[in-house]
């Protein structure tokens, strides 16, 4: 279903002053949506990398880096979600 912006007036019709509304511009990706998508991608990639490091017997620092990246991105997603509710 198309989103209609009720605040956009295209003009009046007749002498009664009634106005017609047109749909808003097509939905475009916002910076927030792009950031959220990238953060989720990094969370998944770092979690998979951490799992692969576990199975391959990699050094501890690899686990720590992957875990830190996962936690930081997950925390950023949580903060953005909580701020978005206000």
């Amino acid at each position: 279903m198309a989103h209609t912006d009720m605040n956009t007036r295209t003009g009046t019709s007749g002498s009664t002053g009634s106005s017609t509304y047109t749909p808003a511009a097509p939905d475009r990706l916002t910076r927030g949506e792009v950031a959220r998508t990238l953060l989720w991608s990094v969370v998944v990639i770092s979690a998979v990398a951490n799992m692969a490091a576990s199975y391959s017997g990699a050094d501890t620092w690899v686990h720590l880096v992957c875990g830190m990246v996962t936690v930081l991105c997950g925390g950023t997603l949580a903060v953005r979600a909580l701020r978005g509710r206000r």
Side-chain angles (χ1 to χ4, degrees), residues 1-82:
M1 177 189 260
H3 172 71
T4 304
D5 185 6
M6 299 303 289
N7 296 320
T8 306
R9 297 179 187 222
T10 58
T12 59
S13 61
S15 60
T16 62
S18 65
S19 59
T20 58
Y21 297 102
T22 58
D27 292 332
R28 294 187 179 154
L29 289 176
T30 64
R31 288 177 133 182
E33 292 170 341
V34 171
R36 185 176 57 236
T37 303
L38 289 175
L39 284 169
W40 273 112
S41 299
V42 172
V43 165
V44 170
I45 290 169
S46 63
V48 169
N50 199 2
M51 186 176 61
S54 293
Y55 284 120
S56 68
D59 291 334
T60 303
W61 68 269
V62 176
H63 295 284
L64 291 174
V65 169
C66 291
M68 286 187 337
V69 169
T70 304
V71 168
L72 288 175
C73 290
T76 304
L77 283 166
V79 168
R80 291 173 55 88
L82 290 174

